[in-house]
Amino acid sequence: MKIIKLLVANRGEIAVRIFRTCRRLGIETVAVYSDADRAAMHVREADEAVHIGAAPAAESYLHVEAILAAAAATGANAIHPGYGFLSENAAFAEAVLAAGLAWVGPPPAAIRSMGPKDEAKRIAEEAGVPVLPGYRGEAQDISTLTKAAEKVGYPLLIKAVAGGGGRGIRQVSRAADLQAELTSAVREAESSFGDGRVMLEKLVERPRHIEVQVFGDQHGNVVHLFERDCSLQRRRQKVIEEAPAPGMPEPVRKAMTDAAVKLAKAVGYQGAGTVEFIVDGSRPLGLDTFWFLEMNTRLQVEHPVTEAITGTDLVEWQLTVAAGGKLPLKQKDIKLTGHAFEARICAEDPADNFRPGAGLILEFGLLEEPDGESLRWDAGFESGDRVPSNYDSMIAKLIVYGETRDAALEHLTDVLAHTQLCGVPSNAGFLRRCALSDEFASGTHHVNWIGDNLDALAGVPEVHRAASLSAVATLLLDDEGAVSPWDLHDGFRLNSVPRRDVLLAADSAAELVDPDAPLSDDTPFPLITDLSPRRFAVTTGGDTFLVTIPEFSADADAALGGNVVKAPMPGKVLSVLAKAGAAVTRGETLAVLEAMKMEHALTAPRDGVVEAVHASAGQQVADGDLLVMLVEE
């Protein structure tokens, strides 16, 4: 079936990225969107767009009937699921095919066989792929699991059979903790996946995560496009990925890629897929240091690094295979050249336990212009867009390529230094600190490394804040264009020492800033964007600050602690503890807000008395909505 018009059943950067390939190939595109995404970038980038439901994913991006109806209404003859949402849902794939549409993904049977982790590992074992020791039996009673744990040995991991995204996983170091951790893992698995079954697996204590990109077609051809290293993770979620894996000997690469192709052939795989391996990072890569982890039956977030080192367009390959065509290249023709990194840009605050943010993006972009070869920018948002609170916090991907790993890494840290995201929290500075570390530079980092070094990585260096303030002060005191001595900002004072300083605030209390105060020599130069006469977005070393010239009335109110409690981001009010007329103390919880799948306690800004409550439990609120007001003092 020739693909004429493609509907992308997804949102954000992956939808925009798929549209880019379709535009080059002359394929018409259809976007779908929820209430939260009416003005989203992926909606603007498509040829047509169809509203499919309310903001919650269950009522829109997971609403199979609405997506199929959108395809029928627009005449789309193919559906690409992107990643996440319905991308690994076999029932959705079957529904697409039953509707007479091309499914840009693997066969439903392959999705089903690789979905449950226990079944996937059984198939891998039968195919001769190395698998970690563990228990993957049907019996789930505590007695059976306890005996199995003793046989596997401690430390071990409890894993949800239907797991993903780091959920339903618990580490157990001793037998005494097994029952409590099992109860917790089963509860989370049931909540997240509707399936409380678990399996046990021997724990690799310094694990690396290396995966192989595989591709199959409808004619029995299967190839690999080499490996990616995704070991830099926080909370079992990838942060920076690279290809190829550092320190990979050619015999190990051949063994690992051969194993991945074997598994893909064993399940009759078609389309893009990724075979993930857990690797013992405590010793050099060898033939006995890797084991099958799972298979992702979809396009991966990190696919651009594979495209960079192989010179391919994997979305184009997907469309070719879905239309019944053969793979564009044979294995012998796929070459590995150079090195690439991908950094996931997220609207989150690493210093606040990676709290996701939402709201209006005041400024978003790079100082360096992407060229599509050495620098690529896959974004789903731009300046002026709103980040909703309903979905994942990743809003863009930064991809760099170099002839060597060192060259690519230097380019990555340079670009991250001036990746500006203002209006919502940004992890760009955190990513840069990770990339600058000795462990990452040497390739000796592992899956748990960020957790072991979180305080040093997540905290924003004070020198970055100072440099950002100093840069704005210097700008404001610039004497270029002065036409008389009275216009000069030289700090002249009659009968006193000259003084040059400016009252500024950077995301916090106001302070006098001396632009001439010395900074450390290795401080990156700040990138300044003029947002308005009183506001500047300033990025130093990847850390972005909203620098403002304070208004004295606002400063006075802030000094008193303020009289109001507002929603810091869009979300749902879970509970309201404040009552009109009640006395409260500074820091006391007045309401609890659920946003970005997390709970946030909203506290009293000062001691006082509640004048009015403007919110109720269950209410959906927008960023900045007034929730509680105190009696003015």
Side-chain angles (χ1 to χ4, degrees):
M1 176 192 295
K2 183 178 181 180
I3 297 177
I4 305 297
K5 182 181 286 189
L6 179 74
L7 182 148
V8 176
N10 217 295
R11 63 182 296 279
E13 63 83 19
I14 185 56
V16 174
R17 183 263 173 274
I18 294 168
F19 295 156
R20 185 171 63 239
T21 290
C22 288
R23 191 175 301 116
R24 179 172 59 80
L25 298 176
I27 297 172
E28 294 182 65
T29 56
V30 180
V32 292
Y33 63 91
S34 69
D35 286 348
D37 280 335
R38 286 185 182 277
M41 185 176 179
H42 77 278
V43 174
R44 301 192 298 271
E45 290 287 319
D47 295 316
E48 300 176 62
V50 179
H51 176 248
I52 55 170
E59 300 174 39
S60 50
Y61 298 108
L62 296 174
H63 194 324
V64 173
E65 292 78 10
I67 292 170
L68 292 177
T74 57
N77 71 332
I79 290 181
H80 193 308
Y83 47 70
F85 293 134
L86 293 167
S87 62
E88 295 181 278
N89 186 307
F92 178 55
E94 288 171 338
V96 170
L97 293 169
L101 307 175
W103 165 249
V104 187
I111 298 175
R112 280 202 169 90
S113 62
M114 290 291 101
K117 287 182 169 57
D118 55 347
E119 174 67 5
K121 292 195 174 182
R122 183 191 65 76
I123 294 172
E125 281 184 302
E126 290 182 355
V129 177
V131 175
L132 273 173
Y135 172 77
R136 295 179 286 278
E138 287 295 319
Q140 295 285 301
D141 60 279
I142 189 65
S143 176
T144 299
L145 291 171
T146 300
K147 290 177 182 176
E150 292 172 357
K151 187 174 180 181
V152 172
Y154 294 93
L156 58 79
L157 284 179
I158 302 168
K159 286 188 172 182
V161 167
R167 295 184 294 276
I169 297 178
R170 297 293 185 276
Q171 180 175 329
V172 186
S173 300
R174 54 186 191 142
D177 298 330
L178 180 66
Q179 186 164 351
E181 296 294 352
L182 276 170
T183 301
S184 176
V186 168
R187 182 170 56 244
E188 185 173 39
E190 288 175 340
S191 172
S192 300
F193 315 113
D195 184 346
R197 292 176 301 145
V198 297
M199 62 185 192
L200 306 179
E201 192 170 82
K202 183 66 179 173
L203 176 68
V204 178
E205 296 194 69
R206 285 180 60 88
R208 289 178 64 182
H209 178 121
I210 299 178
E211 59 189 33
V212 175
Q213 176 72 61
V214 294
F215 233 102
D217 63 23
Q218 299 175 24
H219 307 277
N221 302 305
V222 179
V223 299
H224 71 81
L225 291 95
F226 304 103
E227 81 281 355
R228 299 183 289 255
D229 191 307
C230 309
S231 300
L232 195 70
Q233 301 183 15
R234 56 100 172 148
R235 297 176 177 170
R236 305 186 189 280
Q237 293 181 328
K238 300 165 187 175
V239 172
I240 297 178
E241 303 100 335
E242 62 182 299
M248 174 65 78
E250 197 53 46
V252 181
R253 172 174 290 133
K254 184 176 189 314
M256 190 178 288
T257 54
D258 284 352
V261 170
K262 274 186 194 176
L263 182 61
K265 287 182 175 179
V267 295
Y269 202 81
Q270 298 168 20
T274 298
V275 180
E276 300 188 342
F277 295 93
I278 189 168
V279 178
D280 184 352
S282 66
R283 50 194 173 125
L285 284 166
L287 297 176
D288 61 345
T289 63
F290 68 91
W291 302 272
F292 172 70
L293 181 63
E294 63 181 348
M295 185 175 189
N296 288 311
T297 53
R298 54 172 167 79
L299 191 69
Q300 291 279 86
V301 175
E302 57 272 20
H303 75 275
V305 293
T306 295
E307 294 179 323
I309 65 165
T310 59
T312 56
D313 182 331
L314 297 188
V315 171
E316 182 177 354
W317 281 39
Q318 284 187 296
L319 297 172
T320 298
V321 168
K326 291 185 177 181
L327 293 176
L329 295 174
K330 296 183 182 298
Q331 189 66 68
K332 65 182 178 63
D333 299 319
I334 303 172
K335 307 299 182 184
L336 189 164
T337 306
H339 204 97
F341 289 96
E342 173 184 284
R344 300 188 184 194
I345 308 299
C346 297
E348 64 184 18
D349 185 357
D352 189 9
N353 201 27
F354 295 98
R355 179 180 65 83
L360 178 66
I361 297 177
L362 302 175
E363 189 67 28
F364 190 27
L366 310 176
L367 177 63
E368 185 177 338
E369 191 69 26
D371 56 20
E373 296 181 358
S374 64
L375 177 60
R376 174 173 158 183
W377 180 241
D378 284 13
F381 294 80
E382 57 189 1
S383 300
D385 286 342
R386 281 192 172 273
V387 179
S389 61
N390 311 85
Y391 315 113
D392 187 84
S393 62
M394 190 184 77
I395 59 176
K397 301 182 309 197
L398 171 64
I399 304 101
V400 299
Y401 172 84
E403 293 184 1
T404 65
R405 186 176 190 267
D406 287 347
L409 184 55
E410 182 178 2
H411 194 189
L412 176 67
T413 57
D414 286 348
V415 178
L416 282 172
H418 301 105
T419 299
Q420 190 165 77
L421 174 57
C422 186
V424 293
S426 170
N427 70 333
F430 163 78
L431 293 172
R432 183 172 181 269
R433 286 186 282 281
C434 289
L436 283 171
S437 69
D438 292 340
E439 290 83 355
F440 193 79
S442 63
T444 57
H445 59 288
H446 52 87
V447 170
N448 302 319
W449 179 79
I450 284 180
D452 294 343
N453 299 274
L454 185 58
D455 289 345
L457 296 168
V460 176
E462 175 57 31
V463 69
H464 287 183
R465 180 177 180 277
S468 298
L469 287 166
S470 179
V472 173
T474 300
L475 178 69
L476 295 174
L477 296 175
D478 184 10
D479 286 332
E480 185 177 350
V483 295
S484 77
W486 306 109
D487 296 325
L488 295 176
H489 299 94
D490 59 2
F492 172 78
R493 293 188 297 164
L494 188 64
N495 298 325
S496 188
V497 177
R499 189 182 73 198
R500 284 164 36 98
D501 48 34
V502 181
L503 184 65
L504 296 173
D507 301 334
S508 59
E511 62 180 86
L512 284 173
V513 178
D514 178 2
D516 303 316
L519 298 171
S520 60
D521 294 335
D522 60 350
T523 304
F525 73 90
L527 167 64
I528 303 177
T529 300
D530 214 340
L531 300 175
S532 73
R534 304 182 66 87
R535 298 193 304 169
F536 306 85
V538 190
T539 302
T540 304
D543 296 310
T544 297
F545 305 87
L546 179 60
V547 178
T548 60
I549 303 173
E551 296 181 27
F552 288 102
S553 59
D555 291 344
D557 187 50
L560 291 171
N563 297 319
V564 298
V565 176
K566 296 182 179 180
M569 65 188 80
K572 178 182 179 180
V573 178
L574 293 182
S575 62
V576 178
L577 307 178
K579 295 182 179 179
V584 296
T585 58
R586 180 185 176 91
E588 180 180 339
T589 299
L590 303 185
V592 178
L593 183 71
E594 181 184 56
M596 301 291 282
K597 303 178 183 178
M598 296 177 66
E599 294 184 10
H600 307 274
L602 307 181
T603 61
R606 59 172 173 82
D607 296 349
V609 175
V610 176
E611 180 176 288
V613 177
H614 295 273
S616 58
Q619 179 181 346
Q620 291 287 340
V621 294
D623 183 11
D625 279 0
L626 177 62
L627 306 182
V628 180
M629 177 176 287
L630 303 184
V631 175
E632 187 171 352
E633 292 182 346

